[in-house]
């Protein structure tokens, strides 16, 4: 038994020793290739990555049966201590290393690079390097795994261009930051709007600076800093409301670009409440399977060894991953070259420098053979720069970075998110947001709502109008909520070159006090440079607002209007003059003296019919175109009569023509027909709203008419410019057709519909549109445009226009008025021709009086002749006159006065006979005249 035990223990010992020797032997058989690694104390993660990567390469080598393994020599140095770094590099070369990895700081890297260059030892770099030296001094032994600085800078510049940032603020930490951003600065031309550049102080209080930026209204910020400082800066920015907070609202429009390729490793969860957009680039995709597998393997290895590995695939720094790629790529190169040549490094002393032959082969292999690494395809140009690489564009959303696209050195940007996806993310962010809509009071766009009895109006209920309905329609389509706020100064938005600030609605947007501005805000080039506009929701042009000619009530004696009073007086004078002239000439003309009894040959006397009465009667008969039974015979009298007829022909024709016009059309005098008429006169003053788009139209116009009008307006005192459209309208109404106001056609349409006294003169001077304004690059613009388009296609915009311009604005009452007034064929009312009836009535009344007088005179004569009382004579004459069946009347013997026959016996025969003789005589006389 004892023997068995001894034998067993002897066997075990033999086996143990055999194994021990085997291991030692095998280890001794392995070809160890040393590589140096120089790290800074604060690069511990990279150092661990280096160790892990070498271990992994060696594992693979052993697995493949290779006898070549890599042995790391690791040293640490202060990042600023270049002397020590050089010393360490010399120690390493004298120990014999196939390559030196690191160090990371720019200060220490240079000396190590020079030593490697001199001894032809590959120098593997995994850190950001400022611009490489000139081509003739490029190190040939350097292989740089970190993306080329210039290309990185171009990617940042391309992102800024892609975001269409016109103005932005650059925040940087150290001078290298300015180098990283140089391509952005290069793209900024001298004519571009100014950009601001500020230096931040790491680990210090930067709030005053950040507050200043916040007050300036900046929303585009490029932050260049170490990844470890990002959270501190953003926290401070959040505190001063430079991260996702407007002063009044909380619009998500501040956008940050973080330049660090490690930005995605920073935990920004505590800033979740902020709705700012944070975008950055990353070179590794933590969700990639291979990447996850390697990093997890590494972490588990570290944990097995009891190290505190508090990082995971989302936290690992780019430099560490690049180190893993570098070691792997180096391992592949070494093993490949070992097959054909001896790659054992030589000991080279810095005091007696020589070079190692294998170094160049390794470098050439690394540069010549692309490698699929964890940071994408690893590929170098002949100078060892990694100038072909791919970056992910990532955006922070609820503490997690989402890939929104990619950028590569050849193709630039390619976005992976669909528009719908972008919309979903955006609207999710905005779910609890209340948009601030800035506006101003001005009918019909916005006015105060009248509260019903006992009703207390609050919030949006305080207002109503087109703008309110429009944004309500958009909000319904987009499922967002909004709150109306009035702009304090009640202005549209004009730039003040003295204060260099915008006022009104545009100012509100720029100061981040509002998300949208809605009213009759005209889209102009100048405003478009400061804020963004949606597509126009209404089109319009500038026109003239004026008052209609006042309709005087028709004059009773309007038939007198065709001639002025002067003409009437001249006519009356002419009538008198001509009649008297005719009388004088007739008395002088022998031909006008006629035989009173044409039957007798030698009359004892001649008679002249042209007494004054007949002269007036002839003139009157001609002027009334009634003619006359008496006509002149002498040349002179005929001449007067002829001229008078000619005069009356012209006067009556003119009167008739003018009378028709006067009676049918009221005096609609339109002193101006358009802007051209205004400029030609100076009686009617004209003006615009001060500082609005209409004012700027005239101010900036190159057309001579409009620029002349602007000079006139500017020089007119008191000023013709007004603060609001309401004041302009008031001035037009009070101006008694001596003030015209240039206003936009939509408003003119509204006010002429509301106040029938107002009218639009002429056409439109230009064409433009109203749009909804919002801060530049607002992500909402696209969606609001979509909503406006939808409303337009569904006829909602038309409906709204009709509602506020017609239905709630008198229902087109003024239009109806206009139609009636313009109709030239309208009937004439009694008001127009009443005067003629009055004249007729008056004439008839005078005739009646005369008739009565004549009657009474006849009664008196009859009473005297017949020697009867007046009463009796009156009674007899009246009864006779009333007996309408009697058509014959006897005459008195002496005077020829008529009287009623007292009896039917023929007692009055002599009178009757005489009457007949008289009648015959006068008939014969008339016959002679003709
Ligand atoms: N709607 C104009 C503006 O936006 C006002 C005007 O000038 O008539 O300025």
């Amino acid at each position: 038994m004892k023997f068995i035990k001894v034998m067993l223990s002897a066997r075990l010992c033999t086996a143990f020793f055999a194994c021990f020797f085997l291991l030692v032997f095998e280890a001794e058989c392995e070809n160890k290739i040393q590589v140096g690694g120089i790290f800074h104390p604060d690069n511990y993660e990279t150092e661990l990555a280096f160790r892990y990567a070498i271990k992994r390469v060696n594992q693979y080598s052993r697995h493949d049966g290779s006898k070549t393994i890599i042995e790391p020599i690791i040293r640490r140095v202060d990042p600023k201590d270049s002397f020590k770094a050089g010393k360490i590099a010399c120690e390493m070369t004298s120990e014999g290393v196939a390559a030196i990895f690191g160090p990371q700081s720019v200060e220490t890297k240079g000396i190590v690079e020079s030593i490697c260059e001199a001894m032809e030892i590959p120098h593997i770099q995994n850190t950001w390097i400022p611009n490489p030296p000139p081509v003739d001094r490029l190190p040939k032994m350097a292989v740089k795994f970190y993306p080329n600085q210039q290309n990185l800078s171009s990617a940042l510049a391309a992102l800024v261009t892609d975001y269409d940032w016109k103005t932005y603020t650059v925040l940087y930490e150290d001078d290298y930051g300015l180098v990283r951003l140089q391509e952005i600065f290069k793209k900024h031309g001298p004519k571009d709007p100014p950009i601001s550049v500020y230096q931040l102080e790491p680990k210090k209080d930067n709030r005053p600076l950040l507050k200043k930026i916040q007050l300036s209204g900046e929303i585009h910020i490029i932050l260049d800093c170490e990844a470890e400082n990002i959270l501190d800066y953003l926290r401070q920015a959040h505190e001063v409301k430079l991260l996702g907070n407007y002063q009044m609202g909380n619009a998500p429009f501040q956008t940050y670009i973080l330049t660090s390729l490690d930005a995605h490793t920073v935990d920004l969860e505590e800033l979740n409440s902020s709705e700012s957009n944070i975008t950055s680039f990353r070179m590794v995709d933590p969700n990639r399977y291979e990447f996850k597998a390697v990093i997890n393997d590494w972490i588990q290895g570290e944990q097995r060894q009891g190290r505190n590995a508090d990082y995971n695939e989302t936290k690992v720094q780019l430099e560490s991953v690049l180190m893993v790629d570098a070691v792997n790529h180096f391992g592949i190169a070494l093993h490949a070259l070992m097959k054909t040549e001896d790659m054992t490094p030589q000991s080279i002393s810095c005091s007696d420098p020589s070079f190692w032959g294998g170094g160049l082969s390794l470098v050439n292999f690394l540069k010549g053979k692309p490698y699929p690494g964890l940071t994408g395809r690893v590929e170098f140009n002949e100078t060892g720069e990694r100038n072909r690489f791919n970056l992910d564009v990532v955006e922070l959303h609820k503490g997690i970075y989402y890939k929104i696209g990619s950028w590569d050195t050849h193709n630039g940007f390619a976005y992976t998110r669909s528009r719908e996806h972008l919309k979903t993310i955006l609207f999710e962010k905005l779910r609890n947001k209340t948009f601030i809509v800035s506006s101003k009071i001005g009918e019909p766009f916005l006015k105060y709502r009248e509260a019903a009895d006992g009703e207390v109006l609050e919030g949006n209920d305080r207002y109503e109008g087109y703008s309110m309905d429009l944004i309500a329609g958009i909000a319904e389509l987009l499922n967002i909520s909004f709150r109306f706020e009035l702009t304090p100064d009640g202005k549209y938005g004009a730039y003040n070159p003295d204060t260099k600030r915008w006022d009104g609605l545009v100012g509100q947007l720029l100061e981040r006090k509002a998300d949208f501005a809605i009213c009759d805000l005209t889209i102009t080039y100048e405003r478009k440079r400061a804020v963004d506009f949606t597509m126009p929701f209404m089109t319009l042009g500038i026109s003239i607002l004026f008052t209609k000619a006042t309709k005087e009530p028709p004059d009773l004696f309007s038939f007198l209007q065709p001639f002025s009073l002067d003409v009437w007086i001249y006519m009356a004078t002419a009538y008198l003059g001509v009649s008297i002239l005719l009388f004088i000439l007739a008395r002088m003309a022998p031909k006008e003296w006629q035989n009173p009894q044409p039957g007798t040959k030698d009359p004892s006397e001649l008679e002249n019919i042209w007494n004054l009465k007949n002269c007036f009667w002839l003139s009157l008969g001609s002027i009334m175109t009634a003619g006359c039974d008496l006509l002149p015979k002498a040349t002179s009298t005929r001449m007067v009569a002829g001229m008078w007829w000619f005069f009356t022909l012209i006067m009556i024709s003119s009167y008739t023509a003018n009378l028709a016009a006067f009676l049918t059309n009221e005096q609609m005098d339109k002193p101006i027909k358009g802007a051209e008429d205004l400029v030609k006169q100076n009686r009617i003053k004209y003006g615009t709203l001060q500082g609005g788009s209409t004012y700027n139209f005239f101010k900036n116009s190159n057309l001579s008419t409009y620029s002349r009008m602007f000079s006139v307006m500017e020089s007119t005192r008191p000023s013709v410019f007004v603060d609001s459209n309401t004041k302009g309208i008031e001035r037009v109404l009070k101006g008694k057709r001596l003030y015209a106001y240039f206003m936009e056609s939509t408003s003119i349409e509204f006010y002429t519909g509301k106040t029938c006294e107002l009218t639009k003169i002429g056409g439109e001077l230009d064409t433009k549109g109203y749009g909804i304004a919002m801060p530049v690059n607002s992500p909402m613009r696209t969606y609001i445009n979509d909503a406006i388009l939808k409303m337009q296609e569904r006829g909602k915009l038309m409906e709204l226009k009709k509602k506020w311009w017609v239905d709630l604005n008198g229902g087109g009452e003024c239009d109806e008025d206009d139609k009636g007034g313009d109709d030239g064929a309208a009937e004439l009312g009694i008001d127009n021709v009443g005067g003629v009836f009055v004249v007729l009535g008056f004439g008839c009344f005078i005739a009646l009086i005369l008739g009565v007088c004549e009657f009474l005179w006849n009664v008196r004569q009859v009473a005297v002749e017949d020697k009867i009382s007046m009463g009796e004579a009156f009674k007899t004459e009246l009864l006779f006159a009333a007996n309408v069946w009697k058509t014959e009347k006897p005459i008195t013997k002496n005077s020829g006065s008529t009287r009623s026959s007292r009896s039917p016996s023929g007692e009055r025969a002599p009178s009757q006979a005489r009457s007949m003789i008289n009648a015959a005589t006068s008939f014969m006389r008339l016959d002679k005249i003709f």
Side-chain angles (χ1 to χ4, degrees):
M1 204 46 199
K2 209 172 183 184
F3 174 74
I4 294 168
K5 273 186 179 170
V6 169
M7 283 300 286
L8 209 63
S9 49
R11 274 189 169 197
L12 276 171
C13 278
T14 318
F16 174 75
F17 280 112
C19 286
F20 179 75
F21 279 114
L22 203 69
L23 276 171
V24 171
F25 179 75
E26 186 149 307
E28 270 186 4
C29 284
E30 283 178 339
N31 185 10
K32 287 182 187 161
I33 305 285
Q34 295 189 118
V35 292
I38 308 175
F39 299 97
H40 304 307
D42 55 359
N43 284 136
Y44 187 57
E45 187 190 299
T46 319
E47 185 188 318
L48 287 181
F50 178 67
R51 286 176 193 277
Y52 162 75
I54 290 181
K55 208 170 107 194
R56 199 158 163 263
V57 168
N58 289 342
Q59 270 172 3
Y60 277 112
S61 310
R62 288 195 182 111
H63 188 261
D64 288 354
S66 165
K67 295 274 178 266
T68 303
I69 60 157
I70 302 171
E71 198 169 82
I73 305 174
I74 295 175
R75 299 275 190 283
R76 292 188 193 138
V77 65
D78 190 87
K80 302 263 185 255
D81 194 348
S82 59
F83 175 73
K84 192 167 177 203
K87 220 168 134 212
I88 290 171
C90 285
E91 282 167 18
M92 286 179 166
T93 58
S94 60
E95 280 183 51
V97 284
I100 294 181
F101 291 76
Q104 273 77 28
S105 80
V106 181
E107 289 82 0
T108 53
K109 178 196 75 84
I111 179 82
V112 178
E113 192 176 271
S114 307
I115 293 169
C116 290
E117 199 64 19
M119 299 177 186
E120 293 199 355
I121 291 171
H123 182 216
I124 315 287
Q125 302 174 12
N126 69 328
T127 191
W128 178 82
I129 301 158
N131 284 353
V135 184
D136 54 335
R137 282 195 278 126
L138 274 175
K140 62 180 188 297
M141 300 309 290
V143 183
K144 299 161 187 171
F145 279 75
Y146 203 94
N148 172 265
Q149 127 69 22
Q150 189 144 2
N151 291 4
L152 262 184
S153 188
S154 303
L156 285 168
L159 185 61
V160 171
T161 311
D162 197 71
Y163 274 6
D164 195 21
W165 283 8
K166 289 161 195 137
T167 58
Y168 47 86
T169 293
V170 174
L171 299 175
Y172 70 100
E173 218 174 32
D174 56 30
D175 295 347
Y176 293 124
L178 297 178
V179 179
R180 269 189 288 271
L181 300 167
Q182 61 180 337
E183 290 301 316
I184 298 181
F185 296 137
K186 273 191 212 167
K187 281 204 169 168
H188 185 264
K191 287 194 180 145
D192 291 339
I195 58 168
S196 314
V197 182
Y198 298 104
Q199 185 164 15
L200 295 168
E201 289 188 80
K203 319 251 179 307
K204 294 244 169 84
D205 181 7
N206 291 286
R207 288 176 193 84
L209 171 66
L210 298 172
K211 184 73 195 167
K212 187 174 136 192
I213 299 170
Q214 192 263 344
L215 289 176
S216 75
E218 185 59 83
I219 51 164
H220 301 140
I221 294 156
I222 300 174
L223 176 60
D224 180 275
C225 64
E226 290 289 337
E228 61 185 20
N229 295 334
I230 289 177
L231 181 59
D232 185 35
Y233 292 134
L234 291 185
R235 213 181 260 151
Q236 293 188 25
H238 194 239
E239 282 166 22
V240 299
K241 297 190 163 71
L242 187 60
L243 192 76
N245 275 307
Y246 282 175
Q247 282 170 10
M248 284 165 68
N250 54 344
F253 301 132
Q254 279 135 342
T255 307
Y256 283 74
I257 293 181
L258 309 180
T259 62
S260 168
L261 292 184
D262 282 324
H264 66 280
T265 63
V266 183
D267 188 356
L268 296 177
E269 215 176 325
E270 66 175 88
L271 303 174
N272 254 354
S273 62
S274 134
E275 290 162 340
S276 279
N277 281 338
I278 297 180
T279 308
S280 73
F281 285 118
R282 72 179 179 203
M283 212 174 169
V284 291
D285 181 358
N287 300 320
R288 210 173 117 208
Y289 173 75
E290 292 88 339
F291 181 80
K292 272 189 176 171
V294 172
I295 302 301
N296 285 337
D297 182 41
W298 173 23
I299 295 165
Q300 281 159 18
E302 298 297 342
Q303 284 167 348
R304 273 198 300 274
Q305 289 180 34
R307 287 198 199 104
N308 178 20
D310 63 344
Y311 43 83
N312 59 39
E313 69 271 16
T314 59
K315 296 272 176 290
V316 64
Q317 304 275 305
L318 177 64
E319 286 185 2
S320 307
V321 186
L322 287 172
M323 185 56 91
V324 174
D325 272 355
V327 172
N328 283 344
H329 197 15
F330 176 81
I332 291 167
L334 190 68
H335 285 105
L337 290 171
M338 284 291 273
K339 287 180 190 154
T340 52
E341 48 186 297
D342 180 15
M343 296 301 292
T344 314
Q346 290 163 12
S347 162
I348 307 168
S349 162
C350 284
S351 52
D352 178 20
S354 61
F355 61 85
W356 174 50
L360 210 54
S361 310
L362 268 171
V363 167
N364 288 341
F365 188 96
L366 290 172
K367 288 182 189 172
K369 289 258 180 322
Y371 161 73
L374 297 178
T375 55
R377 188 180 155 92
V378 180
E379 200 178 344
F380 303 95
N381 62 9
E382 63 281 8
T383 61
E385 301 275 339
R386 192 170 175 185
N387 63 347
R388 288 194 71 162
F389 56 90
N390 186 72
L391 297 173
D392 283 353
V393 186
V394 289
E395 201 177 276
L396 186 70
H397 178 46
K398 292 216 180 297
I400 298 167
Y401 278 96
Y402 291 91
K403 180 175 172 179
I404 57 164
S406 61
W407 179 89
D408 77 54
T409 35
H410 277 67
N411 304 315
F413 283 107
Y415 285 100
T416 47
R417 293 193 310 195
S418 68
R419 235 182 118 214
E420 270 317 298
H421 183 201
L422 282 169
K423 188 176 172 186
T424 318
I425 292 180
L426 177 70
F427 281 83
E428 182 149 322
K429 268 186 187 179
L430 303 175
R431 212 180 12 216
N432 299 324
K433 180 176 164 56
T434 301
F435 286 89
I436 313 278
V437 181
S438 192
S439 192
K440 65 184 278 298
I441 293 291
E443 280 191 90
F445 290 91
L446 199 71
K447 61 174 184 172
Y448 289 107
R449 185 194 291 272
E450 277 169 31
D453 285 345
E455 196 185 6
V456 182
L457 297 177
E458 274 172 4
N460 291 345
D461 292 341
R462 285 170 294 167
Y463 314 106
E464 62 179 357
Y466 181 92
S467 305
M468 179 64 84
D469 287 359
L470 176 66
I471 191 68
I474 293 172
E476 197 187 314
L477 286 171
L478 299 180
N479 198 15
I480 55 172
S481 51
F482 64 91
R483 192 172 79 233
F484 256 79
E485 301 279 351
L486 296 184
T487 170
D489 59 8
K491 292 186 176 168
Y492 290 93
Y495 181 69
N496 184 338
D498 301 331
T499 58
K500 296 196 168 33
R501 294 180 85 89
W502 284 83
D503 61 14
L505 297 168
V506 179
Q508 292 287 297
L509 293 176
L510 291 175
E511 285 167 27
R512 309 285 163 245
K513 290 182 179 165
D515 301 293
F516 308 125
I518 305 183
C519 68
D520 47 338
L521 184 67
T522 313
I523 305 171
T524 63
Y525 173 70
E526 208 189 1
R527 286 176 185 161
K528 180 79 188 56
R529 286 175 40 169
V531 293
D532 271 351
F533 279 97
T534 58
M535 62 175 284
F537 57 82
M538 203 180 272
T539 48
L540 59 126
I542 297 172
S543 202
I544 304 169
L545 183 76
F546 204 47
T547 40
K548 285 179 190 161
T550 40
K551 270 190 194 174
E552 293 293 333
D555 188 0
L556 195 61
F557 295 99
S558 49
F559 65 87
L560 290 174
Q561 284 173 353
F563 290 150
S564 67
L565 182 65
D566 298 358
V567 176
W568 283 119
I569 293 172
Y570 288 133
M571 266 179 70
T573 318
Y575 169 70
L576 272 174
V578 167
S579 306
I580 292 168
L581 182 67
L582 183 68
F583 170 71
I584 295 167
L585 290 176
R587 292 203 65 81
M588 293 192 305
K591 272 200 175 176
E592 296 298 351
W593 292 98
Q594 297 284 314
N595 181 359
Q597 288 155 355
T600 50
K601 271 207 169 167
D602 295 312
S604 56
E605 56 183 15
L606 293 174
E607 188 188 41
N608 190 332
I609 58 166
W610 295 109
N611 55 17
L612 265 181
K613 229 167 78 184
N614 284 349
C615 288
F616 282 115
W617 183 241
L618 171 74
S619 305
L620 194 67
S622 328
I623 211 164
M624 294 295 172
T625 62
C628 176
D629 51 354
L630 305 171
L631 289 168
K633 286 213 172 115
T635 316
S636 57
T637 47
R638 279 186 175 172
M639 185 70 195
V640 175
M643 282 302 104
W644 178 245
W645 291 338
F646 174 73
F647 170 82
T648 53
L649 173 76
I650 303 299
M651 291 310 281
I652 295 303
S653 313
S654 310
Y655 175 84
T656 315
N658 236 10
L659 182 69
F662 266 78
L663 292 181
T664 50
N665 296 326
E666 291 99 341
Q667 281 177 304
M668 298 288 281
D669 68 315
K670 283 198 176 166
I672 46 167
K673 290 198 180 72
E676 285 73 19
D677 291 347
L678 276 180
V679 79
K680 282 186 213 144
Q681 55 82 57
N682 50 22
R683 200 173 67 91
I684 300 170
K685 306 277 175 263
Y686 43 91
T688 70
L689 178 86
Q690 175 85 49
S693 61
T694 310
Y695 174 91
N696 284 318
F697 166 82
F698 285 101
K699 190 176 170 191
N700 304 327
S701 179
N702 292 329
L703 292 176
S704 63
T705 311
Y706 304 141
S707 56
R708 252 176 66 201
M709 290 180 101
F710 186 71
S711 330
V712 173
M713 287 193 251
E714 257 202 327
S715 55
T716 309
R717 291 290 170 274
S719 174
V720 285
F721 298 118
V722 290
D723 294 344
S724 66
N725 277 341
T726 329
K727 288 196 181 145
I729 293 156
E730 245 170 55
R731 205 159 158 181
V732 170
L733 287 170
K734 286 187 187 152
K736 301 205 173 101
R737 286 168 73 75
L738 289 177
Y739 180 81
Y741 182 58
F742 282 101
M743 193 159 80
E744 286 166 333
S745 53
T746 40
S747 302
I748 294 185
E749 201 183 320
F750 175 78
Y751 285 104
T752 50
K754 185 177 176 180
T755 314
C756 301
E757 227 177 299
L758 294 169
T759 188
K760 178 183 161 191
I761 302 282
E764 280 148 29
L765 312 187
D766 63 350
T767 322
K768 48 201 177 185
Y770 294 143
I772 300 176
M774 56 194 75
V776 177
N777 294 325
S778 164
M780 291 303 290
R781 189 170 69 156
T782 324
Y783 307 111
I784 295 204
N785 269 343
D786 290 353
I788 292 178
L789 210 60
K790 261 189 209 157
M791 288 180 77
Q792 190 177 315
E793 280 170 9
R794 293 177 188 171
K796 290 267 182 258
L797 293 186
M798 280 279 287
E799 263 174 40
L800 284 186
K801 175 103 195 277
K802 190 169 164 291
K803 173 179 169 189
W804 289 102
W805 264 256
V806 184
D807 302 345
L808 298 179
N809 191 32
E813 198 183 313
C814 294
D815 295 351
E816 294 303 316
D817 269 14
D818 284 353
K819 273 176 212 153
D822 282 352
D823 192 353
E827 297 151 357
L828 293 178
I830 189 68
D831 292 348
N832 303 89
V833 288
V836 186
F837 288 92
V838 172
V839 172
L840 177 67
F842 183 71
C844 292
F845 176 71
I846 300 288
L848 189 71
I849 303 260
L850 287 176
V852 171
C853 292
E854 276 176 348
F855 177 76
L856 291 178
W857 183 252
N858 188 42
V859 166
R860 185 190 155 273
Q861 276 188 318
V862 170
V864 171
E865 278 174 23
D866 292 356
K867 295 187 181 67
I868 54 172
S869 70
M870 281 281 281
E872 200 181 343
F874 180 79
K875 192 177 159 200
T876 315
E877 288 299 315
L878 193 65
L879 283 173
F880 179 80
N883 189 354
V884 292
W885 305 116
K886 280 238 163 116
T887 52
E888 286 175 0
K889 190 178 184 186
I891 56 168
T892 56
K893 281 173 208 158
N894 307 327
S895 64
S897 61
T898 59
R899 64 171 182 178
S900 313
S901 57
R902 263 173 251 156
S903 68
S905 58
E907 211 179 48
R908 300 282 175 203
S911 298
Q912 272 177 5
R914 184 161 176 195
S915 155
M916 282 173 72
I917 290 162
N918 274 350
T921 316
S922 64
F923 177 76
M924 285 167 73
R925 223 185 273 157
L926 276 177
D927 195 36
K928 272 255 164 130
I929 291 167
F930 289 102

